Amino acid sequence: MRCPFCAHDDTQVKDSRPTEDNASIRRRRQCSSCGARFTTFERVQLREVVVVKSGDRREPFERAKLEQSIALASRKRGIDQERLDQLISGIQRQVETSGEAEVPSSHIGELVMEGLRQIDSVAYIRFASVYRDFSEARDFEEFAHTVQQAAKD
Ligand SMILES: [Zn+2]
């Protein structure tokens, strides 16, 4: 695998072990040219899924993008990474085993919201506010109010 630092083509695997949930293999690699160390993950991909976005744009489903948006929403919330990984793996599994070759991005968004709602209300609101693209502050206030009400129940 190519070194992300110097683009040298030859890197060596120094260590290889399953992650805690046993869903992936974590490899520590070292570049034989510049000596930089980095980590790669090997995961099962059950099938290729295409995400259909607004305006009919299509792109392959990528776990990394899911990780990114969830990491952004849960930033500095002190949520256990293990819980987030489980959420991400769960969503990935649902998407890849749905039997559909194409999944609307709105469906993935709903899955993320559903999952975050059970983990952390602030992360949930953050994700939902970006995802639902609130145009007015008032919408957001109403939404936050709804969440607070739901949290009380
Ligand atoms: Zn290198």
Side-chain angles (χ1 to χ4, degrees):
M1 182 170 287
R2 180 176 296 149
C3 171
F5 300 97
C6 73
H8 185 67
D9 271 330
D10 181 37
T11 52
Q12 292 169 333
V13 176
K14 292 291 178 190
D15 182 45
S16 180
R17 64 178 73 173
T19 53
E20 244 166 84
D21 63 357
N22 229 350
S24 56
I25 304 282
R26 179 192 166 93
R27 295 189 210 283
R28 289 294 296 159
R29 293 174 184 267
Q30 184 166 25
C31 174
S32 53
S33 174
C34 74
R37 288 168 181 268
F38 60 101
T39 306
T40 56
F41 289 91
E42 178 183 310
R43 290 193 174 84
V44 174
Q45 180 167 39
L46 295 169
R47 59 177 294 167
E48 301 279 339
V49 174
V50 172
V51 179
V52 184
K53 307 182 82 166
S54 62
D56 232 27
R57 285 178 299 128
R58 284 167 162 75
E59 58 181 48
F61 172 74
E62 282 176 44
R63 182 190 165 102
K65 288 197 174 159
L66 196 58
E67 284 174 344
Q68 242 169 40
S69 55
I70 289 176
L72 220 88
S74 51
R75 221 174 121 232
K76 294 187 177 167
R77 290 297 300 159
I79 305 167
D80 186 16
Q81 187 58 42
E82 191 82 359
R83 280 193 86 183
L84 294 177
D85 285 344
Q86 277 171 9
L87 170 65
I88 294 159
S89 294
I91 293 170
Q92 182 181 21
R93 208 157 34 236
Q94 281 191 60
V95 168
E96 289 179 354
T97 59
S98 69
E100 305 289 336
E102 295 189 338
V103 178
S105 61
S106 59
H107 177 61
I108 297 172
E110 298 291 337
L111 292 176
V112 174
M113 286 201 289
E114 184 58 38
L116 284 180
R117 198 159 60 90
Q118 291 166 27
I119 295 175
D120 186 273
S121 57
V122 172
Y124 167 56
I125 292 175
R126 280 182 190 158
F127 181 85
S129 66
V130 173
Y131 171 69
R132 291 201 164 133
D133 195 20
F134 292 107
S135 49
E136 289 177 55
R138 201 162 157 267
D139 291 348
F140 184 72
E141 274 167 39
E142 279 171 17
F143 177 68
H145 184 70
T146 311
V147 173
Q148 280 164 7
Q149 286 300 316
K152 281 178 194 163
D153 296 340

